[in-house]
Amino acid sequence: MAPMSSLFLLLTLGISATQGYGTGAPSFCSCPGCNPGHGSAPIESAGTFSAVFSPNDNGYVPEREYTVTIQGTLKGSFVSCPKGSFYVAGSSNFRLFSGSCTGGNTAITHSNSNDKTNPSFKWVAPVKGTGSVDMQLLALITRFGTPRRWTVTLAEIAATTTTTQATTTTTE
């Protein structure tokens, strides 16, 4: 074998890169938690990422809409929650995921390969009586990096209502 061919073969065999998907997780994504063939298993830690829910109810109120923001800069993402539903109206960073492991609007993924700083999406909490739910988040910092995966557990909480009493005064 010629020296140049040997060098090319050695370099080709020695490269182990993560494969990125610029328009979101592929439909063969394996659940739970999605491991869509990024070349290496995700690191089971949020690392520098966090998920911030607004409003911050320290859990979820049934059927309430939340804005969920992934704090940090990322290339790709996959978020799944088997209870409740996601929607992405007005977002150019996310799309609903329709792979083999989800039903309804229970997962979203990135829709482009642009850097996304503190990207947000909407999640509507499940109905009353569902109990605690686990939302799994996966974030990819660079196209060829190792993804980070973490779980946020949300407990169902009762909605609080405030009752105000009005006093009427009549003068004659």
Side-chain angles (χ1 to χ4, degrees):
M1 188 179 275
M4 191 60 124
S5 298
S6 297
L7 178 60
F8 176 75
L9 180 61
L10 179 63
L11 288 174
T12 304
L13 293 175
I15 295 174
S16 175
T18 296
Q19 182 177 358
Y21 297 92
T23 58
S27 61
F28 62 81
C29 182
S30 62
C31 291
C34 187
N35 190 14
H38 279 283
S40 58
I43 296 170
E44 300 292 335
S45 163
T48 59
F49 294 108
S50 64
V52 177
F53 291 75
S54 179
N56 180 2
D57 290 326
N58 294 315
Y60 75 88
V61 173
E63 300 183 58
R64 180 173 282 175
E65 178 185 292
Y66 292 88
T67 298
V68 183
T69 302
I70 300 175
Q71 295 287 326
T73 300
L74 55 101
K75 278 279 192 200
S77 58
F78 182 84
V79 183
S80 66
C81 188
K83 307 292 182 188
S85 61
F86 294 99
Y87 69 94
V88 293
S91 172
S92 61
N93 288 320
F94 294 102
R95 67 175 174 81
L96 291 173
F97 177 76
S98 59
S100 60
C101 66
T102 63
N105 297 339
T106 60
I108 60 170
T109 186
H110 59 283
S111 59
N112 61 58
S113 60
N114 299 335
D115 283 342
K116 298 153 197 65
T117 301
N118 302 330
S120 296
F121 52 88
K122 302 288 185 179
W123 177 67
V124 178
V127 297
K128 185 176 181 179
T130 301
S132 293
V133 297
D134 289 334
M135 183 179 292
Q136 290 197 332
L137 300 100
L138 182 132
L140 190 63
I141 300 169
T142 63
R143 183 171 180 201
F144 299 106
T146 301
R148 295 229 171 232
R149 180 171 52 204
W150 71 103
T151 300
V152 174
T153 300
L154 301 164
E156 181 178 333
I157 57 175
T160 57
T161 56
T162 305
T163 304
T164 57
Q165 187 175 20
T167 304
T168 305
T169 306
T170 306
T171 56
E172 293 185 31

